[in-house]
Amino acid sequence: MTSVREAAVAGQFYPGSAAELEATVRNFLNDADAGQGEVPKAIIAPHAGYVYSGAVAASAYARLEPSRAAIKRVVLLGPCHRVPVQGLALSGADSFETPLGRVPVDKDAAAEILDMPSVEVFDATHEIEHSLEVHLPFLQVALD
């Protein structure tokens, strides 16, 4: 059975309709200064509502677009705002959903780190958390 982590903040932190969300993200990316130089191996981007942080987040994600076909895996780390956790809390979901569709979770990679100290599957912290979710539409648009 497939488990989907449904969008928790669509329509609040970012547009809830697919068409409006895609247009919003594309506008942010088109307006962003992608900078010069190599594509970064890691980025740090804000995770607030798009009205507050969309332009800044887009400036980070625009740096990835030149390598959109080459990037095969993204690792997202974010804080827990509502349900505390000690260590790292993986989602048990098979995918995360946004209005733009489902983003699959690499279950094999997740399984490999479960042996690490302080890593556990803890879905409660993901249910209403926005810190990872707000990045997904940028990834869906910026990457293949």
PDB file of all heavy atoms in Angstrom, residues 73-106:
ATOM      1  N   ARG A  73      18.985  13.020  -6.931  1.00  0.00           N
ATOM      2  CA  ARG A  73      18.517  12.865  -5.552  1.00  0.00           C
ATOM      3  C   ARG A  73      18.732  14.184  -4.818  1.00  0.00           C
ATOM      4  O   ARG A  73      19.759  14.828  -4.960  1.00  0.00           O
ATOM      5  CB  ARG A  73      19.278  11.760  -4.840  1.00  0.00           C
ATOM      6  CG  ARG A  73      18.828  11.581  -3.387  1.00  0.00           C
ATOM      7  CD  ARG A  73      19.614  10.508  -2.649  1.00  0.00           C
ATOM      8  NE  ARG A  73      19.301   9.217  -3.237  1.00  0.00           N
ATOM      9  CZ  ARG A  73      20.197   8.247  -3.421  1.00  0.00           C
ATOM     10  NH1 ARG A  73      21.450   8.424  -3.068  1.00  0.00           N
ATOM     11  NH2 ARG A  73      19.846   7.104  -3.954  1.00  0.00           N
ATOM     12  N   VAL A  74      17.754  14.546  -4.012  1.00  0.00           N
ATOM     13  CA  VAL A  74      17.839  15.734  -3.170  1.00  0.00           C
ATOM     14  C   VAL A  74      17.591  15.285  -1.733  1.00  0.00           C
ATOM     15  O   VAL A  74      16.670  14.517  -1.468  1.00  0.00           O
ATOM     16  CB  VAL A  74      16.781  16.785  -3.577  1.00  0.00           C
ATOM     17  CG1 VAL A  74      16.758  17.950  -2.608  1.00  0.00           C
ATOM     18  CG2 VAL A  74      17.031  17.266  -5.004  1.00  0.00           C
ATOM     19  N   VAL A  75      18.410  15.749  -0.834  1.00  0.00           N
ATOM     20  CA  VAL A  75      18.236  15.470   0.585  1.00  0.00           C
ATOM     21  C   VAL A  75      17.755  16.765   1.229  1.00  0.00           C
ATOM     22  O   VAL A  75      18.430  17.788   1.145  1.00  0.00           O
ATOM     23  CB  VAL A  75      19.563  15.009   1.233  1.00  0.00           C
ATOM     24  CG1 VAL A  75      19.380  14.811   2.731  1.00  0.00           C
ATOM     25  CG2 VAL A  75      20.068  13.747   0.563  1.00  0.00           C
ATOM     26  N   LEU A  76      16.589  16.703   1.846  1.00  0.00           N
ATOM     27  CA  LEU A  76      16.029  17.871   2.522  1.00  0.00           C
ATOM     28  C   LEU A  76      16.150  17.697   4.031  1.00  0.00           C
ATOM     29  O   LEU A  76      15.794  16.646   4.565  1.00  0.00           O
ATOM     30  CB  LEU A  76      14.547  18.035   2.180  1.00  0.00           C
ATOM     31  CG  LEU A  76      14.184  18.460   0.770  1.00  0.00           C
ATOM     32  CD1 LEU A  76      12.666  18.475   0.601  1.00  0.00           C
ATOM     33  CD2 LEU A  76      14.753  19.819   0.462  1.00  0.00           C
ATOM     34  N   LEU A  77      16.630  18.727   4.679  1.00  0.00           N
ATOM     35  CA  LEU A  77      16.680  18.769   6.143  1.00  0.00           C
ATOM     36  C   LEU A  77      15.944  20.023   6.580  1.00  0.00           C
ATOM     37  O   LEU A  77      16.126  21.078   5.982  1.00  0.00           O
ATOM     38  CB  LEU A  77      18.121  18.833   6.652  1.00  0.00           C
ATOM     39  CG  LEU A  77      19.021  17.651   6.328  1.00  0.00           C
ATOM     40  CD1 LEU A  77      20.452  17.956   6.755  1.00  0.00           C
ATOM     41  CD2 LEU A  77      18.525  16.403   7.009  1.00  0.00           C
ATOM     42  N   GLY A  78      15.137  19.905   7.598  1.00  0.00           N
ATOM     43  CA  GLY A  78      14.418  21.067   8.092  1.00  0.00           C
ATOM     44  C   GLY A  78      14.101  20.915   9.552  1.00  0.00           C
ATOM     45  O   GLY A  78      14.095  19.808  10.102  1.00  0.00           O
ATOM     46  N   PRO A  79      13.791  22.034  10.201  1.00  0.00           N
ATOM     47  CA  PRO A  79      13.454  21.991  11.620  1.00  0.00           C
ATOM     48  C   PRO A  79      12.018  21.525  11.834  1.00  0.00           C
ATOM     49  O   PRO A  79      11.181  21.571  10.935  1.00  0.00           O
ATOM     50  CB  PRO A  79      13.615  23.450  12.047  1.00  0.00           C
ATOM     51  CG  PRO A  79      13.275  24.227  10.812  1.00  0.00           C
ATOM     52  CD  PRO A  79      13.804  23.402   9.666  1.00  0.00           C
ATOM     53  N   CYS A  80      11.741  21.090  13.032  1.00  0.00           N
ATOM     54  CA  CYS A  80      10.388  20.699  13.446  1.00  0.00           C
ATOM     55  C   CYS A  80       9.824  21.866  14.262  1.00  0.00           C
ATOM     56  O   CYS A  80      10.392  22.221  15.285  1.00  0.00           O
ATOM     57  CB  CYS A  80      10.433  19.438  14.303  1.00  0.00           C
ATOM     58  SG  CYS A  80      11.182  18.038  13.476  1.00  0.00           S
ATOM     59  N   HIS A  81       8.735  22.438  13.814  1.00  0.00           N
ATOM     60  CA  HIS A  81       8.161  23.595  14.492  1.00  0.00           C
ATOM     61  C   HIS A  81       7.096  23.249  15.526  1.00  0.00           C
ATOM     62  O   HIS A  81       6.883  24.006  16.455  1.00  0.00           O
ATOM     63  CB  HIS A  81       7.541  24.549  13.463  1.00  0.00           C
ATOM     64  CG  HIS A  81       8.539  25.230  12.607  1.00  0.00           C
ATOM     65  ND1 HIS A  81       8.974  24.702  11.410  1.00  0.00           N
ATOM     66  CD2 HIS A  81       9.187  26.397  12.772  1.00  0.00           C
ATOM     67  CE1 HIS A  81       9.852  25.528  10.873  1.00  0.00           C
ATOM     68  NE2 HIS A  81       9.996  26.568  11.673  1.00  0.00           N
ATOM     69  N   ARG A  82       6.386  22.130  15.339  1.00  0.00           N
ATOM     70  CA  ARG A  82       5.228  21.870  16.192  1.00  0.00           C
ATOM     71  C   ARG A  82       5.337  20.584  17.019  1.00  0.00           C
ATOM     72  O   ARG A  82       4.871  20.548  18.146  1.00  0.00           O
ATOM     73  CB  ARG A  82       3.970  21.834  15.340  1.00  0.00           C
ATOM     74  CG  ARG A  82       3.664  23.195  14.729  1.00  0.00           C
ATOM     75  CD  ARG A  82       2.337  23.184  14.020  1.00  0.00           C
ATOM     76  NE  ARG A  82       1.990  24.513  13.571  1.00  0.00           N
ATOM     77  CZ  ARG A  82       2.219  24.968  12.366  1.00  0.00           C
ATOM     78  NH1 ARG A  82       2.785  24.199  11.467  1.00  0.00           N
ATOM     79  NH2 ARG A  82       1.876  26.192  12.031  1.00  0.00           N
ATOM     80  N   VAL A  83       5.886  19.548  16.450  1.00  0.00           N
ATOM     81  CA  VAL A  83       6.002  18.270  17.160  1.00  0.00           C
ATOM     82  C   VAL A  83       7.486  18.000  17.370  1.00  0.00           C
ATOM     83  O   VAL A  83       8.216  17.744  16.418  1.00  0.00           O
ATOM     84  CB  VAL A  83       5.347  17.117  16.364  1.00  0.00           C
ATOM     85  CG1 VAL A  83       5.517  15.796  17.100  1.00  0.00           C
ATOM     86  CG2 VAL A  83       3.871  17.407  16.116  1.00  0.00           C
ATOM     87  N   PRO A  84       7.964  18.082  18.601  1.00  0.00           N
ATOM     88  CA  PRO A  84       9.398  17.935  18.846  1.00  0.00           C
ATOM     89  C   PRO A  84       9.905  16.522  18.561  1.00  0.00           C
ATOM     90  O   PRO A  84       9.164  15.549  18.643  1.00  0.00           O
ATOM     91  CB  PRO A  84       9.549  18.280  20.332  1.00  0.00           C
ATOM     92  CG  PRO A  84       8.209  18.110  20.919  1.00  0.00           C
ATOM     93  CD  PRO A  84       7.208  18.312  19.824  1.00  0.00           C
ATOM     94  N   VAL A  85      11.157  16.473  18.224  1.00  0.00           N
ATOM     95  CA  VAL A  85      11.819  15.204  17.945  1.00  0.00           C
ATOM     96  C   VAL A  85      13.253  15.305  18.445  1.00  0.00           C
ATOM     97  O   VAL A  85      13.838  16.385  18.450  1.00  0.00           O
ATOM     98  CB  VAL A  85      11.766  14.877  16.426  1.00  0.00           C
ATOM     99  CG1 VAL A  85      12.522  15.908  15.609  1.00  0.00           C
ATOM    100  CG2 VAL A  85      12.291  13.502  16.143  1.00  0.00           C
ATOM    101  N   GLN A  86      13.785  14.190  18.888  1.00  0.00           N
ATOM    102  CA  GLN A  86      15.195  14.150  19.249  1.00  0.00           C
ATOM    103  C   GLN A  86      15.920  13.451  18.120  1.00  0.00           C
ATOM    104  O   GLN A  86      15.607  12.306  17.789  1.00  0.00           O
ATOM    105  CB  GLN A  86      15.388  13.405  20.563  1.00  0.00           C
ATOM    106  CG  GLN A  86      14.826  14.173  21.733  1.00  0.00           C
ATOM    107  CD  GLN A  86      15.220  13.548  23.054  1.00  0.00           C
ATOM    108  OE1 GLN A  86      16.086  12.701  23.141  1.00  0.00           O
ATOM    109  NE2 GLN A  86      14.582  13.998  24.104  1.00  0.00           N
ATOM    110  N   GLY A  87      16.857  14.117  17.509  1.00  0.00           N
ATOM    111  CA  GLY A  87      17.585  13.538  16.384  1.00  0.00           C
ATOM    112  C   GLY A  87      16.927  13.890  15.073  1.00  0.00           C
ATOM    113  O   GLY A  87      16.426  14.997  14.895  1.00  0.00           O
ATOM    114  N   LEU A  88      16.923  12.927  14.156  1.00  0.00           N
ATOM    115  CA  LEU A  88      16.363  13.129  12.819  1.00  0.00           C
ATOM    116  C   LEU A  88      15.117  12.276  12.650  1.00  0.00           C
ATOM    117  O   LEU A  88      15.138  11.080  12.921  1.00  0.00           O
ATOM    118  CB  LEU A  88      17.392  12.754  11.748  1.00  0.00           C
ATOM    119  CG  LEU A  88      18.687  13.548  11.743  1.00  0.00           C
ATOM    120  CD1 LEU A  88      19.657  12.979  10.720  1.00  0.00           C
ATOM    121  CD2 LEU A  88      18.421  15.014  11.458  1.00  0.00           C
ATOM    122  N   ALA A  89      14.058  12.888  12.161  1.00  0.00           N
ATOM    123  CA  ALA A  89      12.787  12.189  11.968  1.00  0.00           C
ATOM    124  C   ALA A  89      12.525  12.010  10.486  1.00  0.00           C
ATOM    125  O   ALA A  89      12.265  12.971   9.775  1.00  0.00           O
ATOM    126  CB  ALA A  89      11.652  12.971  12.611  1.00  0.00           C
ATOM    127  N   LEU A  90      12.609  10.783  10.026  1.00  0.00           N
ATOM    128  CA  LEU A  90      12.260  10.475   8.644  1.00  0.00           C
ATOM    129  C   LEU A  90      10.752  10.309   8.534  1.00  0.00           C
ATOM    130  O   LEU A  90      10.088   9.921   9.487  1.00  0.00           O
ATOM    131  CB  LEU A  90      12.916   9.168   8.193  1.00  0.00           C
ATOM    132  CG  LEU A  90      14.420   9.114   8.138  1.00  0.00           C
ATOM    133  CD1 LEU A  90      14.876   7.709   7.760  1.00  0.00           C
ATOM    134  CD2 LEU A  90      14.944  10.121   7.132  1.00  0.00           C
ATOM    135  N   SER A  91      10.247  10.573   7.360  1.00  0.00           N
ATOM    136  CA  SER A  91       8.851  10.281   7.089  1.00  0.00           C
ATOM    137  C   SER A  91       8.742   8.836   6.622  1.00  0.00           C
ATOM    138  O   SER A  91       9.600   8.344   5.889  1.00  0.00           O
ATOM    139  CB  SER A  91       8.319  11.210   5.992  1.00  0.00           C
ATOM    140  OG  SER A  91       7.041  10.796   5.575  1.00  0.00           O
ATOM    141  N   GLY A  92       7.680   8.173   7.008  1.00  0.00           N
ATOM    142  CA  GLY A  92       7.427   6.824   6.523  1.00  0.00           C
ATOM    143  C   GLY A  92       6.679   6.809   5.211  1.00  0.00           C
ATOM    144  O   GLY A  92       6.444   5.751   4.625  1.00  0.00           O
ATOM    145  N   ALA A  93       6.315   7.989   4.714  1.00  0.00           N
ATOM    146  CA  ALA A  93       5.546   8.086   3.475  1.00  0.00           C
ATOM    147  C   ALA A  93       6.385   7.664   2.270  1.00  0.00           C
ATOM    148  O   ALA A  93       7.609   7.798   2.256  1.00  0.00           O
ATOM    149  CB  ALA A  93       5.043   9.513   3.279  1.00  0.00           C
ATOM    150  N   ASP A  94       5.702   7.178   1.256  1.00  0.00           N
ATOM    151  CA  ASP A  94       6.350   6.833  -0.009  1.00  0.00           C
ATOM    152  C   ASP A  94       6.539   8.066  -0.887  1.00  0.00           C
ATOM    153  O   ASP A  94       7.396   8.080  -1.773  1.00  0.00           O
ATOM    154  CB  ASP A  94       5.520   5.794  -0.766  1.00  0.00           C
ATOM    155  CG  ASP A  94       5.419   4.485  -0.006  1.00  0.00           C
ATOM    156  OD1 ASP A  94       6.474   3.952   0.394  1.00  0.00           O
ATOM    157  OD2 ASP A  94       4.291   4.008   0.202  1.00  0.00           O
ATOM    158  N   SER A  95       5.715   9.087  -0.656  1.00  0.00           N
ATOM    159  CA  SER A  95       5.838  10.325  -1.417  1.00  0.00           C
ATOM    160  C   SER A  95       5.230  11.469  -0.624  1.00  0.00           C
ATOM    161  O   SER A  95       4.446  11.259   0.306  1.00  0.00           O
ATOM    162  CB  SER A  95       5.143  10.201  -2.781  1.00  0.00           C
ATOM    163  OG  SER A  95       3.763   9.970  -2.617  1.00  0.00           O
ATOM    164  N   PHE A  96       5.626  12.673  -0.990  1.00  0.00           N
ATOM    165  CA  PHE A  96       5.055  13.904  -0.446  1.00  0.00           C
ATOM    166  C   PHE A  96       4.263  14.545  -1.576  1.00  0.00           C
ATOM    167  O   PHE A  96       4.754  14.624  -2.706  1.00  0.00           O
ATOM    168  CB  PHE A  96       6.153  14.869  -0.007  1.00  0.00           C
ATOM    169  CG  PHE A  96       6.717  14.621   1.362  1.00  0.00           C
ATOM    170  CD1 PHE A  96       7.274  13.393   1.697  1.00  0.00           C
ATOM    171  CD2 PHE A  96       6.709  15.625   2.315  1.00  0.00           C
ATOM    172  CE1 PHE A  96       7.813  13.174   2.952  1.00  0.00           C
ATOM    173  CE2 PHE A  96       7.245  15.405   3.577  1.00  0.00           C
ATOM    174  CZ  PHE A  96       7.794  14.185   3.899  1.00  0.00           C
ATOM    175  N   GLU A  97       3.063  15.020  -1.259  1.00  0.00           N
ATOM    176  CA  GLU A  97       2.213  15.599  -2.294  1.00  0.00           C
ATOM    177  C   GLU A  97       2.152  17.116  -2.173  1.00  0.00           C
ATOM    178  O   GLU A  97       2.114  17.655  -1.067  1.00  0.00           O
ATOM    179  CB  GLU A  97       0.806  15.019  -2.194  1.00  0.00           C
ATOM    180  CG  GLU A  97      -0.082  15.392  -3.361  1.00  0.00           C
ATOM    181  CD  GLU A  97      -1.311  14.520  -3.414  1.00  0.00           C
ATOM    182  OE1 GLU A  97      -1.984  14.377  -2.370  1.00  0.00           O
ATOM    183  OE2 GLU A  97      -1.595  13.985  -4.488  1.00  0.00           O
ATOM    184  N   THR A  98       2.178  17.772  -3.334  1.00  0.00           N
ATOM    185  CA  THR A  98       1.895  19.199  -3.426  1.00  0.00           C
ATOM    186  C   THR A  98       0.844  19.345  -4.519  1.00  0.00           C
ATOM    187  O   THR A  98       0.540  18.370  -5.220  1.00  0.00           O
ATOM    188  CB  THR A  98       3.152  20.020  -3.816  1.00  0.00           C
ATOM    189  OG1 THR A  98       3.387  19.900  -5.219  1.00  0.00           O
ATOM    190  CG2 THR A  98       4.373  19.620  -3.021  1.00  0.00           C
ATOM    191  N   PRO A  99       0.309  20.537  -4.719  1.00  0.00           N
ATOM    192  CA  PRO A  99      -0.623  20.709  -5.831  1.00  0.00           C
ATOM    193  C   PRO A  99      -0.010  20.375  -7.197  1.00  0.00           C
ATOM    194  O   PRO A  99      -0.739  20.120  -8.154  1.00  0.00           O
ATOM    195  CB  PRO A  99      -1.005  22.186  -5.741  1.00  0.00           C
ATOM    196  CG  PRO A  99      -0.878  22.497  -4.282  1.00  0.00           C
ATOM    197  CD  PRO A  99       0.335  21.710  -3.839  1.00  0.00           C
ATOM    198  N   LEU A 100       1.309  20.333  -7.290  1.00  0.00           N
ATOM    199  CA  LEU A 100       1.987  20.007  -8.551  1.00  0.00           C
ATOM    200  C   LEU A 100       2.200  18.514  -8.743  1.00  0.00           C
ATOM    201  O   LEU A 100       2.753  18.092  -9.752  1.00  0.00           O
ATOM    202  CB  LEU A 100       3.336  20.732  -8.632  1.00  0.00           C
ATOM    203  CG  LEU A 100       3.271  22.257  -8.565  1.00  0.00           C
ATOM    204  CD1 LEU A 100       4.669  22.854  -8.641  1.00  0.00           C
ATOM    205  CD2 LEU A 100       2.371  22.810  -9.657  1.00  0.00           C
ATOM    206  N   GLY A 101       1.790  17.708  -7.774  1.00  0.00           N
ATOM    207  CA  GLY A 101       1.940  16.264  -7.885  1.00  0.00           C
ATOM    208  C   GLY A 101       2.725  15.680  -6.734  1.00  0.00           C
ATOM    209  O   GLY A 101       3.018  16.364  -5.746  1.00  0.00           O
ATOM    210  N   ARG A 102       3.062  14.427  -6.891  1.00  0.00           N
ATOM    211  CA  ARG A 102       3.766  13.693  -5.824  1.00  0.00           C
ATOM    212  C   ARG A 102       5.274  13.673  -6.066  1.00  0.00           C
ATOM    213  O   ARG A 102       5.731  13.487  -7.184  1.00  0.00           O
ATOM    214  CB  ARG A 102       3.240  12.270  -5.735  1.00  0.00           C
ATOM    215  CG  ARG A 102       1.814  12.230  -5.235  1.00  0.00           C
ATOM    216  CD  ARG A 102       1.288  10.838  -5.092  1.00  0.00           C
ATOM    217  NE  ARG A 102      -0.082  10.895  -4.589  1.00  0.00           N
ATOM    218  CZ  ARG A 102      -0.889   9.867  -4.534  1.00  0.00           C
ATOM    219  NH1 ARG A 102      -0.477   8.672  -4.938  1.00  0.00           N
ATOM    220  NH2 ARG A 102      -2.101  10.012  -4.072  1.00  0.00           N
ATOM    221  N   VAL A 103       6.003  13.829  -4.976  1.00  0.00           N
ATOM    222  CA  VAL A 103       7.460  13.748  -4.986  1.00  0.00           C
ATOM    223  C   VAL A 103       7.829  12.461  -4.260  1.00  0.00           C
ATOM    224  O   VAL A 103       7.551  12.322  -3.064  1.00  0.00           O
ATOM    225  CB  VAL A 103       8.091  14.967  -4.282  1.00  0.00           C
ATOM    226  CG1 VAL A 103       9.614  14.843  -4.266  1.00  0.00           C
ATOM    227  CG2 VAL A 103       7.649  16.264  -4.937  1.00  0.00           C
ATOM    228  N   PRO A 104       8.448  11.507  -4.963  1.00  0.00           N
ATOM    229  CA  PRO A 104       8.760  10.230  -4.323  1.00  0.00           C
ATOM    230  C   PRO A 104       9.878  10.354  -3.294  1.00  0.00           C
ATOM    231  O   PRO A 104      10.791  11.157  -3.447  1.00  0.00           O
ATOM    232  CB  PRO A 104       9.195   9.343  -5.484  1.00  0.00           C
ATOM    233  CG  PRO A 104       9.670  10.294  -6.534  1.00  0.00           C
ATOM    234  CD  PRO A 104       8.855  11.544  -6.368  1.00  0.00           C
ATOM    235  N   VAL A 105       9.761   9.558  -2.250  1.00  0.00           N
ATOM    236  CA  VAL A 105      10.814   9.452  -1.237  1.00  0.00           C
ATOM    237  C   VAL A 105      11.690   8.265  -1.629  1.00  0.00           C
ATOM    238  O   VAL A 105      11.187   7.203  -1.986  1.00  0.00           O
ATOM    239  CB  VAL A 105      10.202   9.216   0.164  1.00  0.00           C
ATOM    240  CG1 VAL A 105      11.281   8.917   1.196  1.00  0.00           C
ATOM    241  CG2 VAL A 105       9.363  10.414   0.592  1.00  0.00           C
ATOM    242  N   ASP A 106      12.999   8.457  -1.590  1.00  0.00           N
ATOM    243  CA  ASP A 106      13.932   7.367  -1.886  1.00  0.00           C
ATOM    244  C   ASP A 106      13.966   6.455  -0.658  1.00  0.00           C
ATOM    245  O   ASP A 106      14.722   6.675   0.285  1.00  0.00           O
ATOM    246  CB  ASP A 106      15.313   7.926  -2.201  1.00  0.00           C
ATOM    247  CG  ASP A 106      16.302   6.862  -2.627  1.00  0.00           C
ATOM    248  OD1 ASP A 106      16.113   5.677  -2.296  1.00  0.00           O
ATOM    249  OD2 ASP A 106      17.280   7.231  -3.307  1.00  0.00           O
TER     250      ASP A 106
END
